[in-house]
Amino acid sequence: FHHVEKTAGTTLRALFQRHAQLGLFDLISFVGRQNRLQLQLVLQRLHSLLRSGTLQGLRLAVELHVAGDLTFPYTLYYTMPDLVLIREQLRAAGCRCNLVSLLRMPLLQSLSWHSHFVTTKSPLCVWPPAPDCGTRMALGLTCHDAPRVPPLSEEHAAGAEGMWRLFDLVGVTEMFDEFVLLLGDLVGLPHLAYRAQLVDRVTATATAQRRRRWSAQRCVKLVARPPHDLLQLVGRKLNTSREQAGRQRRRMECSTYGCLLRGAVVSSSNSVPYDHAACEAVSAMQVLERLCGRVSVDERVYLA
């Protein structure tokens, strides 16, 4: 499972963990930000069992959730060849092996990523996100250090599209339930219940339906005729970010995350004062336009 940040990967992890608690997995291996070698250990063990002919009855789940590099797409160049090779070898030995992942509508993923990682370090009113953050993370590139990350090239875009074609199942967060049903059939997960993040069933259902309609539209259309509830969502995120920044009164980390001040990106300092009045002057529409201007490759990959 290739866990791209802010695509409901933690919820999916909980689903796998529940099956492990019920005895349906022998091991769940978490390959996190600081332990890339964990994957090599798992692969080496599988290769050893295959060579010795002793791979019998093992049920293994591996989650890849690794940190990104500024310019080197580690997942694309190193991880994927290893995964494709071990899948081929396992299937040749009569075993099942599947590669799965999730993508998310780029605009919603960007808003969620800011809420989780950036917040008051660069409030939403001034935050210039790294271009095409979702595709960057999928390839093994970072979205942090935004002022210094180069834009993705056509080669990156083609690489991402080719990488996703190698997977057995790629779902979208906006249709998570449908993805889980397909995943259950694919890998054999009999207990598919999970805890929803939204507890108001009526509101959650209505919101999900609206977001499905948004996810079918490109940003250029959303900016030209923004749905009222989309602007409300961006506005709520914007107001929350303002309130947190005003309450904490911390210096903005513009060197790490960038700050759009007076029409220019400031990236020279991690100790820039927060200007409440300037932030109050920024509208939800301006934030929507800014975020939509940085997801062209993400949209291309997501809508492919």
Side-chain angles (χ1 to χ4, degrees), residues 125-177:
C125 56
V126 299
W127 180 54
D132 300 301
C133 186
T135 303
R136 294 186 62 83
M137 292 187 292
L139 293 175
L141 296 164
T142 186
C143 293
H144 299 275
D145 208 16
R148 278 158 287 282
V149 298
L152 295 183
S153 65
E154 176 59 31
E155 287 74 18
H156 286 113
E161 291 172 331
M163 181 186 77
W164 290 127
R165 284 194 290 269
L166 294 172
F167 277 68
D168 299 288
L169 178 63
V170 180
V172 293
T173 308
E174 290 71 37
M175 300 183 70
F176 185 76
D177 288 350

Side-chain angles (χ1 to χ4, degrees), residues 38-229:
Q38 173 73 13
L39 177 60
Q40 300 306 315
L41 295 174
V42 171
L43 294 177
Q44 175 60 34
R45 181 59 176 158
L46 287 175
H47 284 302
S48 297
L49 291 172
L50 282 169
R51 284 195 298 269
S52 64
T54 56
L55 180 58
Q56 300 290 333
L58 176 65
R59 189 115 196 250
L60 173 68
V62 179
E63 176 185 348
L64 304 175
H65 191 44
V66 298
D69 188 82
L70 189 64
T71 59
F72 187 80
Y74 185 91
T75 301
L76 179 64
Y77 286 169
Y78 278 93
T79 307
M80 285 305 301
D82 285 343
L83 295 181
V84 171
L85 176 62
I86 194 65
R87 179 178 62 183
E88 178 183 330
Q89 293 175 333
L90 286 169
R91 288 178 173 177
C95 302
R96 288 196 299 173
C97 179
N98 296 288
L99 306 180
V100 303
S101 190
L102 282 157
L103 298 174
R104 187 174 184 179
M105 179 189 180
L107 177 61
L108 296 177
Q109 185 177 18
S110 186
L111 287 168
S112 181
W113 197 87
H114 178 273
S115 296
H116 188 83
F117 290 103
V118 186
T119 62
T120 58
K121 300 167 189 174
S122 177
L124 192 57
C125 56
V126 299
W127 180 54
D132 300 301
C133 186
T135 303
R136 294 186 62 83
M137 292 187 292
L139 293 175
L141 296 164
T142 186
C143 293
H144 299 275
D145 208 16
R148 278 158 287 282
V149 298
L152 295 183
S153 65
E154 176 59 31
E155 287 74 18
H156 286 113
E161 291 172 331
M163 181 186 77
W164 290 127
R165 284 194 290 269
L166 294 172
F167 277 68
D168 299 288
L169 178 63
V170 180
V172 293
T173 308
E174 290 71 37
M175 300 183 70
F176 185 76
D177 288 350
E178 291 86 344
F179 167 77
V180 168
L181 291 173
L182 291 172
L183 180 66
D185 290 339
L186 180 68
V187 304
L189 300 177
H191 305 286
L192 297 178
Y194 65 92
R195 181 178 179 181
Q197 299 299 312
L198 296 172
V199 296
D200 185 334
R201 185 173 300 176
V202 175
T203 302
T205 301
T207 300
Q209 291 299 323
R210 288 195 297 270
R211 290 183 181 178
R212 287 187 187 190
R213 290 196 293 270
W214 301 343
S215 66
Q217 299 180 31
R218 293 187 179 275
C219 255
V220 63
K221 185 174 181 180
L222 293 175
V223 168
R225 299 184 63 181
H228 176 68
D229 44 4

